[in-house]
């Protein structure tokens, strides 16, 4: 078997070839440290497999693909849509890594220990190339998940800003909820992968001591994965909420859209106070306590006389004068018709 020469960024490869040598090693009289590593690896492999096989992840991915496909023509050049496409690319790359299959093969390599008789002290463990391959895929998947979470934060921020323009409100709300759920779900997957790395690295040390057979040459696996992932990892797990989710403008806009009961009551009280102030300025007396059994007198509101020239009132006066003049002319004509002709001479 020829060892790979991957270089310093071997974890950045999407497809890593499997080792062509033996995938298992038989260990006679395993020590207590090896037993603890095997038990921890089996437990963490089961948890990671359950997280990756979660049906909610598949459902959210389907919703993401449907949103991108249905709104490609209308929102193909919008920044929130382009950021959501980056989230889709990260998910596709994670699927092409076949991380789930590699972890499942690793967990199945320990299943042969259950079929052995109780009296035997031999133990079957995966070989060093198999363990190194899974470790390398875990490193790449963790870096990819950090990129995925960062893209979710950017999409969330751009979508909330687009909500402020009051355009595509329903679509933007769907996108905000979608990237928020993806961020929470894949944060849990990242946490499971980090917890799997530590016992698997301990198993690598034991296997390399029993039967050294390195697969990746030129690459040293880090003992602490948190230091390898760097500052983005600490920002996610040390803070309660990412900076893009906790921005002032974002929380202010979302609080307007989604108010709790207490906040809605406060807003109603504030609106009532503003209305009452305006009513006082307009000098309108509003009776709060009205008995429905008694007749309510309608108070006439006196309009203030404006100093400006009123065209409507002037036209009414002209019309009234014209009507009076027409009546007077008719009366004079009738009187002239009733007088005798001799009088008119």
């Amino acid at each position: 078997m020829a060892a790979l020469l991957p270089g310093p960024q071997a974890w950045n490869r999407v497809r890593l070839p499997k080792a062509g040598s033996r995938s298992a090693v038989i260990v006679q009289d395993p020590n207590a440290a090896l037993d603890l590593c095997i038990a921890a690896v089996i437990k963490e492999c089961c948890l990671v497999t359950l997280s990756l096989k979660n049906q909610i992840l598949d459902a959210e991915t389907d919703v993401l693909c449907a949103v991108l496909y249905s709104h490609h023509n209308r929102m193909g050049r919008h920044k929130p849509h382009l950021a959501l496409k980056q989230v889709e690319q990260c998910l596709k790359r994670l699927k092409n890594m076949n991380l789930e299959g590699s972890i499942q093969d690793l967990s199945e390599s320990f299943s042969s220990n259950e079929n052995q008789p109780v009296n035997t002290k031999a133990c079957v463990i995966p070989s060093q190339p198999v363990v190194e391959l899974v470790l390398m895929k875990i490193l790449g998947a963790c870096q990819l998940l950090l990129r995925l979470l960062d893209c979710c934060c950017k999409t969330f921020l751009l979508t909330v800003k687009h909500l402020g323009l009051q355009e595509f409100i329903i679509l933007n709300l769907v996108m905000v909820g979608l990237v928020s759920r993806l961020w929470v779900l894949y944060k849990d997957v990242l946490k499971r992968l980090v917890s799997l790395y530590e016992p698997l690295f301990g198993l690598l040390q034991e296997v390399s001591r029993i039967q050294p057979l390195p697969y990746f040459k030129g690459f040293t696996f880090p003992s602490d994965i948190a230091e390898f992932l760097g500052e983005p990892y600490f920002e996610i797990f040390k803070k309660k909420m990412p900076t893009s989710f906790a921005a002032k403008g974002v929380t202010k806009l979302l609080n307007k859209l989604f108010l709790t009961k207490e906040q809605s009551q406060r807003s109603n009280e504030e609106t009532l106070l503003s209305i009452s102030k305006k009513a006082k300025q307009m000098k309108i007396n509003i009776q709060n306590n009205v008995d429905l059994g008694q007749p309510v007198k309608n108070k006439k509101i006196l309009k203030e006389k404006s100093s400006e020239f009123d065209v409507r009132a002037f036209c009414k006066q002209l019309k009234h004068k014209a009507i009076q003049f027409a009546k007077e002319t008719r009366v004079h004509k009738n009187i002239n018709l009733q007088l005798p002709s001799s009088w008119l001479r």
Side-chain angles (χ1 to χ4, degrees):
M1 181 199 69
L4 291 179
L5 298 173
Q9 289 188 349
W11 49 266
N12 201 17
R13 292 186 178 183
V14 178
R15 292 181 177 87
L16 292 171
K18 291 184 179 181
S21 63
R22 294 192 314 173
S23 60
V25 177
I26 299 174
V27 181
Q28 300 292 336
D29 297 330
N31 54 14
L34 183 59
D35 291 335
L36 290 174
C37 286
I38 291 172
V41 168
I42 292 172
K43 179 183 176 181
E44 295 298 333
C45 283
C46 293
L47 293 175
V48 171
T49 305
L50 288 175
S51 298
L52 292 174
K53 286 185 176 180
N54 193 354
Q55 294 181 356
I56 300 176
L57 291 177
D58 297 333
E60 297 296 338
T61 306
D62 294 338
V63 173
L64 172 65
C65 296
V67 169
L68 289 174
Y69 179 77
S70 59
H71 296 87
H72 175 70
N73 293 328
R74 287 192 299 173
M75 301 186 67
R77 297 185 179 275
H78 284 236
K79 289 184 178 180
H81 187 83
L82 296 175
L84 195 64
K85 280 185 111 177
Q86 291 181 352
V87 176
E88 184 193 25
Q89 290 175 1
C90 293
L91 292 176
K92 286 182 178 180
R93 188 179 178 91
L94 184 65
K95 186 177 180 180
N96 292 332
M97 287 179 65
N98 194 20
L99 178 65
E100 181 182 345
S102 300
I103 294 175
Q104 194 169 2
D105 293 340
L106 179 67
S107 60
E108 288 177 356
S109 63
F110 297 103
S111 60
S112 58
N113 294 326
E114 299 176 358
N115 300 326
Q116 291 183 359
V118 182
N119 296 328
T120 58
K121 295 183 180 180
C123 178
V124 179
I125 59 174
S127 61
Q128 186 176 353
V130 175
V131 178
E132 286 188 358
L133 181 65
V134 177
L135 282 173
M136 190 66 73
K137 286 193 174 184
I138 289 174
L139 291 177
C142 289
Q143 291 282 3
L144 185 59
L145 286 174
L146 287 176
R147 174 62 181 164
L148 172 64
L149 297 179
D150 183 58
C151 290
C152 288
C153 293
K154 289 181 180 178
T155 308
F156 179 87
L157 189 61
L158 291 171
T159 308
V160 171
K161 287 183 179 179
H162 197 204
L163 268 174
L165 301 176
Q166 297 182 358
E167 296 178 356
F168 305 101
I169 295 177
I170 298 176
L171 175 62
N172 288 327
L173 290 177
V174 171
M175 290 172 63
V176 165
L178 177 62
V179 295
S180 302
R181 292 190 297 271
L182 287 173
W183 189 89
V184 173
L185 292 171
Y186 280 101
K187 180 185 175 183
D188 182 66
V189 175
L190 177 61
K191 187 177 180 180
R192 296 294 182 190
L193 289 175
V194 170
S195 61
L196 173 61
Y197 184 87
E198 184 178 355
L200 195 59
F201 182 77
L203 181 63
L204 176 64
Q205 300 297 321
E206 295 292 332
V207 173
S208 61
R209 182 180 58 83
I210 295 169
Q211 186 178 5
L213 193 64
Y215 186 54
F216 294 102
K217 289 186 177 181
F219 183 83
T220 303
F221 287 93
S223 58
D224 189 4
I225 190 173
E227 293 182 358
F228 174 77
L229 296 176
E231 189 65 26
Y233 174 78
F234 293 108
E235 287 182 357
I236 290 173
F237 286 97
K238 296 295 181 182
K239 295 181 180 180
K240 294 182 179 179
M241 191 179 295
T243 54
S244 60
F245 288 3
K248 292 183 179 179
V250 173
T251 53
K252 188 176 180 181
L253 182 57
L254 290 179
N255 287 334
K256 288 182 180 180
L257 294 173
F258 306 103
L259 293 176
T260 60
K261 291 183 179 180
E262 296 178 356
Q263 291 174 349
S264 61
Q265 289 176 0
R266 291 177 184 175
S267 62
N268 291 331
E269 291 176 358
E270 290 177 358
T271 51
L272 288 173
L273 289 173
S274 62
I275 290 171
S276 62
K277 289 180 180 179
K278 289 181 181 179
K280 288 179 181 179
Q281 290 176 0
M282 295 173 65
K283 297 180 181 180
I284 299 174
N285 296 324
I286 301 173
Q287 294 181 355
N288 295 325
N289 298 323
V290 179
D291 189 1
L292 296 178
Q294 296 178 358
V296 180
K297 295 180 181 180
N298 295 325
K299 294 184 178 181
K300 295 182 179 180
I301 301 171
L302 298 175
K303 296 182 179 179
E304 297 180 356
K305 294 181 180 180
S306 60
S307 60
E308 298 179 356
F309 179 72
D310 193 355
V311 180
R312 185 178 294 178
F314 180 73
C315 293
K316 285 183 179 180
Q317 290 179 2
L318 291 177
K319 185 178 180 181
H320 182 67
K321 289 181 180 180
I323 292 171
Q324 286 183 351
F325 180 76
K327 287 182 180 179
E328 289 177 358
T329 52
R330 287 179 184 175
V331 170
H332 285 298
K333 285 182 180 180
N334 292 331
I335 292 172
N336 293 332
L337 290 173
Q338 291 177 2
L339 291 173
S341 58
S342 62
W343 291 11
L344 296 174
R345 294 177 186 175

